[in-house]
Amino acid sequence: MKPLRFAFGTLAVLAIFPATGLAIRLLEAPAPERARVLDGDTILLLNSHTRVRLSGIDAPELAQYCFNAMTFPYPCGRAALDHLSALIGPSDVTCKQDGIDANGRILGTCLTSTRQNLNEKMVFDGLAVAYTRYSSRYVTAERAARVA
């Protein structure tokens, strides 16, 4: 089985789970990297080829449609992807690993080079919701987005 790469930096610790034969490389010292947005809550760090699911938030699926205030459908999944892409822009991204979800995906908190928290900003701007099933970290940002 191919080892899973857990992002972000230059110092490595190797953890081996003998019962599953799974080897996981945990990396410390997050390093800035170029990123490609895959959807409204997932990015690919290009140098390390690491896929990161933004922890504590949930954005619409890429092909999902939502209804606006006038009950017209619009491609909200695409809007979330476009917004996250715009937030990152030409900036490098630094992600800190927060854990692993039930599907084996790396969960992370990601910041732009200007230290903007992408997870929080997506919720604050109304393109994602706080994923309260797993975290209450972005509840305040969601409340602010609902008031705005």
Side-chain angles (χ1 to χ4, degrees):
M1 177 178 272
K2 183 178 174 185
L4 297 175
R5 287 175 49 189
F6 288 73
F8 327 129
T10 55
L11 301 175
V13 176
L14 182 63
I16 299 176
F17 299 94
T20 63
L22 180 65
I24 299 175
R25 189 172 65 174
L26 303 173
L27 299 174
E28 301 173 6
E33 294 190 44
R34 297 288 308 139
R36 188 178 87 187
V37 176
L38 302 178
D39 64 26
D41 54 22
T42 309
I43 64 172
L44 176 67
L45 299 175
L46 297 177
N47 293 348
S48 63
H49 306 288
T50 303
R51 194 178 182 122
V52 180
R53 167 90 165 63
L54 301 181
S55 65
I57 74 168
D58 192 27
E61 298 303 318
L62 187 56
Q64 185 173 337
Y65 276 73
C66 300
F67 293 92
N68 65 16
M70 297 176 62
T71 68
F72 292 117
Y74 73 98
C76 55
R78 184 65 201 195
L81 178 144
D82 292 344
H83 191 71
L84 184 55
S85 295
L87 290 173
I88 294 172
S91 177
D92 282 348
V93 173
T94 303
C95 294
K96 177 187 153 291
Q97 183 177 327
D98 296 331
I100 304 164
D101 72 7
N103 298 316
R105 297 177 296 191
I106 296 170
L107 299 172
T109 301
C110 298
L111 308 175
T112 64
S113 58
T114 60
R115 310 298 295 162
Q116 177 172 254
N117 181 324
L118 294 169
N119 308 44
E120 181 176 51
K121 186 68 171 156
M122 285 294 290
V123 174
F124 184 80
D125 290 349
L127 280 293
V129 296
Y131 206 174
T132 57
R133 180 175 179 189
Y134 299 104
S135 171
S136 59
R137 187 171 182 185
Y138 301 111
V139 169
T140 303
E142 186 175 322
R143 283 188 194 128
R146 290 180 188 277
V147 171

